[in-house]
Amino acid sequence: MRRTTVIRTGLSALLVIGAWATAGLVPATAAPSPTSEAPASAGLLSAMQKDLGLTKGQAEARLAAEKTATAVDGKARRAAGPAYGGSWFNADSGTLTVAVTTAGKADAVRATGATVRLVEHSAQQLDAAKAKIDALSAPAGVASWHVDPKANKVVVNVVAAQKNDNDVRSFLARARQAGPVTVEETATAPQTFAAGTVGGDPYYTGNVRCSIGFSVYGGFVTAGHCGQAGAGVSGWDGSYIGNFQGSSFPDNDYAWVNVGSGWWTVPVVLGWGSVSDQLVRGSNEAPIGASICRSGSTTHWRCGNVLAKNETVNYSQGAVHQMTKTSVCAEGGDSGGSFISGDQAQGVTSGGWGNCSSGGETWYQPVNEILGRYGLTLHTA
């Protein structure tokens, strides 16, 4: 966008309303979070009150507890070593629980500030079982699968109406051979959230509208299903932005677009007038159970909770790996948009089921993978 046409609702003319990217095979190059504590904006607190049913005081306390839990998580993982079985945040108690397979590691983990649960399977064993399932060809009736540290199993989600399908039953039989597996039902198969062209939205490629992701130096990140490498991108005002420099879908769902022609990047996630525009200060990964919010060009600002990590989602176009599942709703056109927890970038919107009238769930790919994959640096405040 050009500086003469910047004034628009909130910062919608600014290029960096947040999508995030995916979780990382290579260390991310995001700038570290500043040590100074930035207070939560009134808009963020208001959105959490609305979408999570909290009071202002409860929202402030939860954000503080989640920030502490995020810091404790890394220390606890190191203390547990090979006995680490995963972790999750408990919103009611404000504590992080860490699963361990060896009682001898319990005291060291508790010393980090986490509570401890003894389990049978380590995170490494569960990840290995999931990797074996990833190698299978899943039928349409299988929606997704992920490691659930709280259940200490790999959870396979099947579409309820197709649970007795022969191909689904055969897939589940092979999945159970991979390791500890439990089956849950979902009402609807997942789908991506791209949409046909309509006026006034953040960016277009061909006849597809998607949502701009997090700003990186030199461009922004977004969802891979929104465009292939080389495809041209135009902004909300129809002016040329740049091109997809890299894109992966399926298997992954991430991409990045270079920025030029009078457009520039800023470390901001758009609040769409529902909340104040949010500054991005880093990309520390929030734990399971943490609150999280999403910004997108169709349904704007919505909040919910992190439900699962490292989930494989079986879209009609093929499986996408290493996704994070949330209770936040989304609709067509929200693809590529930002997921943010506090002031920390989390990931880019990929797909889900349902809508923002009746409810639903969404998946995103964590931002740090895309930064590492393409050697990008997150633009932070």
Side-chain angles (χ1 to χ4, degrees):
M1 60 200 82
R2 306 180 186 282
R3 292 185 184 272
T4 55
T5 59
V6 171
I7 304 301
R8 191 173 177 248
T9 303
L11 288 178
S12 58
L14 293 181
L15 179 101
V16 97
I17 13 209
W20 343 106
T22 38
L25 299 175
V26 183
T29 55
S33 302
T35 55
S36 59
E37 185 76 23
S41 71
L44 175 59
L45 295 173
S46 176
M48 291 179 68
Q49 292 174 67
K50 174 179 178 290
D51 291 339
L52 298 177
L54 304 175
T55 66
K56 179 182 177 183
Q58 288 171 333
E60 290 173 328
R62 179 159 176 177
L63 287 172
E66 289 172 354
K67 187 176 183 69
T68 299
T70 298
V72 167
D73 197 19
K75 298 176 184 177
R77 183 189 293 262
R78 291 190 291 272
Y84 178 76
S87 64
W88 59 94
F89 177 76
N90 186 312
D92 292 332
S93 63
T95 58
L96 183 79
T97 299
V98 174
V100 295
T101 58
T102 304
K105 291 289 187 180
D107 288 343
V109 172
R110 288 192 187 96
T112 68
T115 59
V116 174
R117 178 184 294 181
L118 287 175
V119 295
E120 181 179 356
H121 307 289
S122 69
Q124 185 176 14
Q125 291 171 324
L126 294 173
D127 287 342
K130 180 183 175 291
K132 292 179 181 178
I133 301 174
D134 284 343
L136 303 177
S137 178
V142 177
S144 63
W145 52 96
H146 69 274
V147 170
D148 184 346
K150 194 171 183 179
N152 200 227
K153 292 181 179 180
V154 178
V155 176
V156 179
N157 295 286
V158 301
V159 179
Q162 300 181 55
K163 64 180 179 181
N164 293 321
D165 178 84
N166 286 338
D167 290 339
V168 171
R169 292 163 67 93
S170 176
F171 178 88
L172 293 176
R174 287 177 290 156
R176 290 188 176 99
Q177 294 174 3
V181 165
T182 186
V183 178
E184 295 183 0
E185 295 181 10
T186 183
T188 311
Q191 60 183 359
T192 56
F193 284 126
T197 300
V198 292
D201 292 296
Y203 85 87
Y204 308 93
T205 179
N207 66 344
V208 171
R209 168 172 61 85
C210 281
S211 298
I212 289 173
F214 287 104
S215 194
V216 297
Y217 287 97
F220 66 86
V221 296
T222 188
H225 71 262
C226 291
Q228 297 181 344
V233 172
S234 58
W236 63 271
D237 61 353
S239 66
Y240 174 76
I241 296 176
N243 296 81
F244 279 85
Q245 298 297 299
S247 180
S248 178
F249 179 79
D251 186 28
N252 306 294
D253 193 5
Y254 52 63
W256 84 281
V257 175
N258 70 319
V259 169
S261 304
W263 291 70
W264 70 97
T265 64
V266 290
V268 170
V269 173
L270 204 67
W272 291 99
S274 298
V275 301
S276 300
D277 297 326
Q278 303 294 302
L279 290 175
V280 177
R281 299 185 183 277
S283 59
N284 294 326
E285 186 178 341
I288 293 172
S291 63
I292 194 165
C293 297
R294 180 190 58 71
S295 181
S297 61
T298 300
T299 59
H300 299 171
W301 185 269
R302 305 283 175 160
C303 297
N305 301 307
V306 177
L307 300 179
K309 295 184 179 184
N310 192 23
E311 182 151 18
T312 299
V313 180
N314 190 35
Y315 293 128
S316 61
Q317 300 94 330
V320 177
H321 304 93
Q322 295 179 322
M323 304 268 265
T324 297
K325 180 162 66 176
T326 81
S327 63
V328 187
C329 68
E331 296 179 9
D334 286 328
S335 280
S338 317
F339 269 92
I340 188 167
S341 182
D343 57 11
Q344 300 295 304
Q346 298 299 306
V348 292
T349 303
S350 173
W353 62 268
N355 54 53
C356 289
S357 296
S358 59
E361 294 177 339
T362 49
W363 287 272
Y364 66 81
Q365 287 219 286
V367 69
N368 290 330
E369 184 179 350
I370 194 171
L371 299 177
R373 169 63 179 82
Y374 295 118
L376 301 170
T377 300
L378 187 68
H379 193 167
T380 57

